Amino acid sequence: MKNDVTIKNKLGLGTAPLGNMFREVPEDEAMETIQSAWNEGIRYFDTAPFYGAGLAEMRLGEILSSYNRDDYLLSSKVGRIILDEEEEKEGLFEYGRKNKIRTDYTESGTLQSIEDSLKRLKTDRLDMVFVHDLSPDFLGDEWITKFDEARKGAFKVLDRLRDEGVIKAWGLGVNTTTPIEVALELEEAHPDLSLSATQYTLLQHERALERMMPLAQKNDGGLVIGGAFNSGALFGGDYFDYKEITPDIKERVARFNDVAKNHGVNLKDAALQFSTAHPAVKAVVTGSTRPDRIKEDLQALEANIPAAFWEELVEKELISAKAALPGSRK
């Protein structure tokens, strides 16, 4: 079933940072960031129970609940249940809430996850639902077993909810391409909008172009792109795809910077325009805890980038010649 989701400006606010990813974000800073996104015209918000064990959803709900529900699109994720029991945290959301989290892709777990998210978000519905982190990077070798659990559980539930008009679309929300590709080829389930994080970016897109992007188009699927800056690596940050950056990635970023300087191009502008250029892409979600970054991102999508910049990137094999370039819509 082809989804009919249209996202204003092709830009949404991703809320992983608002779940205290990597650091403790003061409440007023988080609220100001969400409010700034709304004030700048953002009308699509993506979140997940995993982001701070419900913290991002709760913060988002505080702001969005004061607006007309028909005026914005909201997506969250299933696959994890937030428990009342607490534990010490480490990793991405060390500074989030202490609640334990149970991985659960069953039918009952999916329905409970949605119900719990609605309460935290103070809303009566989700527009899009993504099956979260059903992928080797989080589950290791167990991902195939969990994928089968989701195929029999979450996928069937979400197919039904979409067909009944309860949600507009569903798919996977993962940091690798293979799970999306496998799901798109299933006969018994029909995902129509997935969130692909870190896989269709300036720095990393060859694998996505091989199968994920063509399959999305062939199956009338759409993609939301997350992690367009690969955890800040593109801007000289210390992380690439949520892990410590390696010397070879740093060297590649330096080459991008050299080309950008040659043409007077801002790499943020290029990154967002590249990730939105492919016809399968419905939107890019960017995450921040800095209110002024929202305006920057919107301006980036409108910035003038000379064709010579893209040509040099292709010539130096920094981006694939098969990629859809801004303005080309291949």
Side-chain angles (χ1 to χ4, degrees):
M1 177 177 177
K2 187 173 181 178
N3 71 68
D4 59 353
V5 175
T6 300
I7 296 170
K8 182 182 177 184
N9 301 318
K10 296 193 80 170
L11 186 68
L13 180 70
T15 61
L18 300 177
N20 286 358
M21 185 168 69
F22 297 130
R23 73 181 181 96
E24 189 162 344
V25 180
E27 195 72 9
D28 59 345
E29 188 178 320
M31 296 296 108
E32 189 179 350
T33 298
I34 301 166
Q35 188 62 60
S36 174
W38 183 274
N39 293 346
E40 292 295 337
I42 297 297
R43 294 296 181 267
Y44 169 43
F45 302 85
D46 175 69
T47 190
F50 184 55
Y51 301 160
L55 181 60
E57 289 184 319
M58 294 165 71
R59 286 173 161 173
L60 195 57
E62 282 299 314
I63 299 295
L64 294 186
S65 60
S66 63
Y67 294 103
N68 187 325
R69 184 61 185 83
D70 295 333
D71 290 344
Y72 62 91
L73 292 172
L74 182 60
S75 61
S76 193
K77 305 181 180 77
V78 296
R80 292 187 175 99
I81 303 295
I82 310 302
L83 307 176
D84 292 331
E85 187 180 350
E86 296 187 349
E87 64 180 357
E88 285 304 308
K89 297 285 184 172
E90 58 182 22
L92 288 178
F93 295 102
E94 177 184 350
Y95 301 100
R97 297 167 74 220
K98 302 298 184 184
N99 300 65
K100 280 189 174 182
I101 298 175
R102 184 181 82 236
T103 301
D104 190 332
Y105 298 103
T106 65
E107 176 178 355
S108 60
T110 298
L111 291 171
Q112 183 184 340
S113 180
I114 292 174
E115 184 179 341
D116 292 348
S117 287
L118 293 178
K119 291 176 183 175
R120 288 189 291 266
L121 287 161
K122 297 183 177 181
T123 187
D124 63 349
R125 68 185 186 275
L126 298 173
D127 296 294
M128 295 90 82
V129 177
F130 302 121
V131 183
H132 204 191
D133 291 330
L134 188 59
S135 176
D137 59 320
F138 270 90
L139 300 170
D141 293 339
E142 193 185 6
W143 89 269
I144 296 174
T145 301
K146 287 296 184 183
F147 190 95
D148 194 53
E149 179 179 287
R151 183 177 61 82
K152 297 172 182 174
F155 293 2
K156 287 187 175 181
V157 173
L158 296 174
D159 241 11
R160 186 180 77 241
L161 293 177
R162 191 266 323 280
D163 293 346
E164 291 173 353
V166 177
I167 60 176
K168 296 180 186 295
W170 75 272
L172 276 66
V174 290
N175 304 323
T176 60
T177 62
T178 301
I180 292 175
E181 294 160 5
V182 174
L184 283 169
E185 293 186 298
L186 291 175
E187 290 186 7
E188 73 271 29
H190 307 90
D192 51 357
L193 184 69
S194 289
L195 196 160
S196 174
T198 74
Q199 297 299 301
Y200 194 72
T201 70
L202 268 184
L203 285 174
Q204 184 166 255
H205 54 267
E206 295 270 8
R207 177 73 180 85
L209 283 170
E210 287 176 18
R211 294 190 70 235
M212 185 176 73
M213 309 307 274
L215 277 171
Q217 287 183 279
K218 176 186 174 184
N219 292 279
D220 288 330
L223 293 166
V224 173
I225 303 300
F229 313 133
N230 295 99
S231 302
L234 193 64
F235 310 135
D238 297 326
Y239 295 93
F240 174 78
D241 292 1
Y242 314 110
K243 297 177 182 177
E244 192 172 335
I245 195 168
T246 59
D248 61 314
I249 297 294
K250 284 186 177 181
E251 188 272 336
R252 197 149 178 267
V253 170
R255 293 177 65 198
F256 270 100
N257 274 307
D258 288 342
V259 177
K261 287 176 184 175
N262 289 346
H263 300 277
V265 170
N266 184 313
L267 277 181
K268 172 180 266 196
D269 301 349
L272 289 178
Q273 290 191 29
F274 178 86
S275 290
T276 54
H278 196 285
V281 175
K282 295 278 189 176
V284 169
V285 291
T286 59
S288 178
T289 58
R290 313 291 188 193
D292 56 336
R293 294 283 168 80
I294 311 301
K295 182 179 285 188
E296 275 184 22
D297 294 347
L298 285 165
Q299 291 172 342
L301 288 170
E302 300 299 324
N304 182 40
I305 298 178
F309 167 78
W310 302 110
E311 291 165 5
E312 186 173 346
L313 290 181
V314 172
E315 182 184 325
K316 293 186 172 178
E317 298 185 342
L318 285 170
I319 63 173
S320 171
K322 298 177 182 178
L325 300 179
S328 68
R329 304 294 288 178
K330 286 182 182 176

